Amino acid sequence: MGIPIQGQDFLLERALLQRKNSELYTGDGSVDIQGKPVLRSKTGKWRASSFILGTECCERVTYFGIVTNLVSYITSILHKGNVSAARSVSTWNGTCYLTPLVGAFLADAYWGKYRTIAVFSSIYFIGMCTLTISASIPAFRPPQCLGLTCPSATPAQSAIFFVGLYLIAVGMGGIKPCISSFGADQFDDTDPRERVAKGSFFNWFFFFMYIGALLSSSLIVWIQENVGWAVGFGIPALFMGLAVASFFSGTRLYRFRLPGGSPVTRISQVVVASLRKWKFVVPQDSSLLYETSDEHSAIEGSRKLGHTDGLKRSVTILYLLGYLSDSEMNSCDFSSPWRLCTVTQVEESKILIRMFPIWATSIFFCVVYSQLSTTFVEQAKVMDRTVGSFTIPAASLSVLYVMSGMVGVLAYDKIVVPMIRNFTGRERGFSELQRIGIGLFISCLAMVAGALVESRRLQLAKELDLVDKNVVVPLKFYWQIPQYFLVGCTDVFSFVGAMEFFYNQSPDAIRSLCVALPLLLTSVGSYLNSLILTIVAAITTAGGKAGWIPDNMNQGHLDYFFWLLSGLSFLNLLMYGFCSMKYKPKKVL
């Protein structure tokens, strides 16, 4: 029996209305500041994301204005040794990229990305003001060296400095996991044109980040070295204020995602529900798996995810397939998520588990990245950095890395992607996993380049009888260009690729948390670098030896340290290749 004519007209009108609404409004569940559906034409896209790019640029001026020359401040002003300074910078940098887990959790579960950025940016600004005060008031820093005598900082002086430093680390915790994902949220996945633009957004996001880093590595570092640290820290504090202003300026244009509740609670529910059913045989028919009957997911702000195979019986606690048992079918009691979870909720947990091997095997790239603000700076300090009558600050050489990243991002987006697209058929050329792998390979080459330069520097020091003298070796800093260039290329491939991968593969309701994972890579990489430095120092200084990284670098063997990192990076690349081949992407309904 067919549908009456009137019924057909009603269904046709309803379909036309839904199509019209889908063209007018976003289809990814985003809302405006008042929680109402948003029009495509009046919100989001590049017009809204431009304010977010401005915020990122100014915040990166602030961050790189601190981290780029921080090792020099600790050694020259606080009078710490090279190993101690490198370890302090690595530990703080690691904390900067560990706190995003807290900010991401608050954003996804309760506050949303917008409020989280607003609150934590204020903490960031307070930290910058504290740091500036510690460098401005003479009583808050130790006196200058008198000959070979360099008074150490008092506990109170160190406390003021590190309080400001770690307030910045806390502030970054709410900005870094949210700002890039909030910017990507301005593009609707359900619209093909906006989806392609979203891929470009991550490249442009890093381009503006590099602009901020370029300004810091050149002008601000020069000011710190030649004008003073008070002004050198005060300018980054001003830029942090500009970052806050830029962010709030775009409020009326933003698209917002509703927080989906605590992901920890949802994952716990999946584990508990699966443990209750670990003896059951999982049905082959995926239609027997439980899911809400309407078009909306049970998780606020998230689209439904399709069932995927895998992770059924690997480890007891990972029996993550929530399905309907006979008793639940008969009772129709679907009210307790601690007994029965939807497919979307189960898949959310499975996605996090699948991501973990990719995350874990990408860590060592960040160990290589940590050298930019530690050993690369210490290596540059004992090289000839003069250009005519001008001496380039050692920390300013990171501008080479920044310029490499800027050129690399533009070349990748405008040249590499269109060229590779013709061969792979992918919208973005390489897949995210391929892009990460290429970067990991380049990171091995960066350490080889650094080792070769240091070997040549030490050879020259020996030939000129400078081994026992803590002086600059007449080897031009130009020799460092390849290692900085290669680290920049690594960043373009591995870190940008990781940000894109973790955002695209994450469920809607935990995108801030997943975007925090590549930031956590930087944290773990920095801590791991600090640990490696500590172990290397302990082993190589045994028996009264100078060690690989002594205060007099001419007596050391920094080249051995770089060769060690190169070998470890290659082993890490092999493990990553195996894990990436096993990865299964998410399935959105």
Side-chain angles (χ1 to χ4, degrees):
M1 185 175 178
I3 300 175
I5 299 298
Q6 295 86 349
Q8 293 178 359
D9 292 341
F10 172 75
L11 293 177
L12 181 59
E13 289 177 4
R14 182 178 180 183
L16 290 173
L17 181 61
Q18 289 177 341
R19 181 178 178 181
K20 182 177 180 180
N21 286 338
S22 66
E23 293 174 351
L24 292 176
Y25 295 93
T26 58
D28 59 358
S30 56
V31 297
D32 62 15
I33 190 70
Q34 297 176 337
K36 299 178 181 179
V38 290
L39 292 168
R40 291 183 189 275
S41 60
K42 294 186 177 180
T43 59
K45 295 177 284 192
W46 291 110
R47 186 168 56 164
S49 63
S50 62
F51 292 98
I52 296 170
L53 294 175
T55 300
E56 173 65 10
C57 181
C58 291
E59 188 275 329
R60 290 292 85 182
V61 171
T62 303
Y63 170 74
F64 283 106
I66 302 303
V67 71
T68 303
N69 210 20
L70 187 58
V71 70
S72 296
Y73 185 87
I74 294 175
T75 54
S76 62
I77 303 300
L78 299 184
H79 306 148
K80 304 286 186 182
N82 282 336
V83 172
S84 176
R87 190 163 50 233
S88 294
V89 172
S90 291
T91 302
W92 173 74
N93 204 35
T95 305
C96 287
Y97 289 95
L98 180 63
T99 53
L101 286 178
V102 178
F105 175 80
L106 289 174
D108 284 338
Y110 305 112
W111 288 0
K113 301 181 184 73
Y114 180 85
R115 184 187 299 180
T116 303
I117 295 172
V119 171
F120 280 80
S121 61
S122 301
I123 298 174
Y124 198 136
F125 183 69
I126 293 172
M128 279 304 310
C129 292
T130 303
L131 198 66
T132 303
I133 291 172
S134 72
S136 302
I137 301 176
F140 290 167
R141 62 179 188 268
Q144 295 181 348
C145 297
L146 296 175
L148 298 177
T149 303
C150 297
S152 299
T154 65
Q157 291 169 339
S158 296
I160 294 172
F161 173 75
F162 283 106
V163 163
L165 207 59
Y166 278 88
L167 280 175
I168 294 170
V170 172
M172 279 188 61
I175 296 176
K176 291 310 295 176
C178 299
I179 194 71
S180 60
S181 59
F182 189 59
D185 286 347
Q186 307 309 309
F187 301 90
D188 185 1
D189 274 334
T190 64
D191 183 277
R193 289 172 297 181
E194 291 193 32
R195 187 168 60 246
V196 173
K198 178 182 289 187
S200 293
F201 169 79
F202 283 102
N203 289 329
W204 285 104
F205 181 83
F206 274 81
F207 179 78
F208 276 88
M209 181 194 78
Y210 288 131
I211 290 178
L214 178 63
L215 179 59
S216 295
S217 302
S218 53
L219 178 60
I220 292 181
V221 169
W222 184 87
I223 290 173
Q224 290 170 346
E225 295 281 351
N226 295 275
V227 178
W229 289 96
V231 178
F233 284 160
I235 293 175
L238 176 62
F239 270 92
M240 190 59 222
L242 293 175
V244 175
S246 175
F247 177 72
F248 283 115
S249 297
T251 299
R252 64 183 183 85
L253 298 174
Y254 293 149
R255 297 173 182 175
F256 302 84
R257 294 291 184 88
L258 297 175
S262 172
V264 175
T265 301
R266 292 197 301 274
I267 293 171
S268 299
Q269 289 170 344
V270 171
V271 173
V272 171
S274 60
L275 288 174
R276 289 175 182 269
K277 300 180 180 181
W278 71 276
K279 291 184 179 180
F280 289 89
V281 177
V282 179
Q284 297 296 321
D285 186 0
S286 61
S287 65
L288 296 176
L289 303 176
Y290 174 58
E291 185 55 273
T292 55
S293 58
D294 58 14
E295 62 180 10
H296 299 291
S297 168
I299 303 174
E300 185 72 44
S302 177
R303 290 168 292 177
K304 288 183 179 180
L305 297 173
H307 166 64
T308 58
D309 294 326
L311 300 178
K312 292 182 180 179
R313 299 296 186 193
S314 55
V315 183
T316 300
I317 199 171
L318 303 182
Y319 295 158
L320 296 179
L321 287 177
Y323 57 92
L324 296 173
S325 64
D326 293 337
S327 60
E328 289 163 338
M329 286 288 290
N330 294 330
S331 65
C332 295
D333 181 14
F334 310 146
S335 60
S336 175
W338 295 96
R339 298 185 64 89
L340 182 65
C341 301
T342 65
V343 170
T344 297
Q345 188 174 344
V346 171
E347 290 298 321
E348 182 183 67
S349 301
K350 290 169 67 176
I351 286 171
L352 289 176
I353 294 170
R354 287 191 177 114
M355 283 180 171
F356 179 77
I358 303 298
W359 177 86
T361 53
S362 302
I363 290 174
F364 221 85
F365 149 67
C366 292
V367 175
V368 174
Y369 176 79
S370 295
Q371 308 316 309
L372 288 172
S373 57
T374 54
T375 54
F376 280 13
V377 176
E378 292 171 347
Q379 183 185 41
K381 282 184 174 181
V382 285
M383 296 179 69
D384 183 2
R385 293 173 278 112
T386 59
V387 178
S389 60
F390 181 73
T391 300
I392 300 175
S396 289
L397 294 182
S398 61
V399 74
L400 300 171
Y401 147 77
V402 175
M403 293 177 66
S404 170
M406 290 179 65
V407 174
V409 164
L410 291 176
Y412 186 88
D413 195 62
K414 300 300 182 181
I415 300 175
V416 175
V417 170
M419 181 176 62
I420 298 299
R421 183 189 293 146
N422 295 329
F423 294 97
T424 64
R426 299 177 182 271
E427 290 179 344
R428 299 303 304 157
F430 293 113
S431 70
E432 294 101 335
L433 292 176
Q434 289 171 337
R435 187 173 182 177
I436 296 170
I438 293 170
L440 292 177
F441 174 73
I442 297 174
S443 71
C444 300
L445 301 181
M447 288 296 92
V448 171
L452 292 175
V453 170
E454 184 64 12
S455 296
R456 173 57 184 155
R457 195 191 68 80
L458 291 175
Q459 180 184 0
L460 188 59
K462 186 176 181 180
E463 292 173 356
L464 299 176
D465 195 25
L466 300 176
V467 173
D468 295 324
K469 301 175 183 178
N470 191 7
V471 295
V472 170
V473 174
L475 182 67
K476 281 292 186 180
F477 73 94
Y478 307 140
W479 289 94
Q480 280 194 309
I481 291 177
Q483 65 201 64
Y484 278 102
F485 173 79
L486 289 169
V487 174
C489 291
T490 300
D491 219 20
V492 170
F493 281 92
S494 279
F495 203 73
V496 180
M499 292 288 285
E500 193 171 352
F501 169 78
F502 285 105
Y503 180 88
N504 288 335
Q505 290 299 310
S506 64
D508 295 336
I510 55 171
R511 273 187 163 159
S512 294
L513 182 63
C514 290
V515 169
L517 293 179
L519 301 175
L520 184 61
L521 284 175
T522 306
S523 172
V524 177
S526 294
Y527 286 131
L528 183 57
N529 181 55
S530 182
L531 177 63
I532 293 173
L533 283 167
T534 302
I535 294 174
V536 166
I539 294 175
T540 60
T541 58
K545 298 179 181 177
W548 287 0
I549 315 176
D551 290 340
N552 179 4
M553 298 291 287
N554 295 335
Q555 294 179 334
H557 265 294
L558 185 60
D559 54 337
Y560 292 173
F561 181 70
F562 287 156
W563 283 118
L564 173 65
L565 294 186
S566 177
L568 293 175
S569 296
F570 182 73
L571 293 176
N572 179 78
L573 175 62
L574 296 179
M575 291 187 290
Y576 171 81
F578 175 79
C579 293
S580 62
M581 289 189 293
K582 297 291 184 181
Y583 182 79
K584 292 183 179 181
K586 74 174 182 180
K587 180 180 178 182
V588 179
L589 295 180

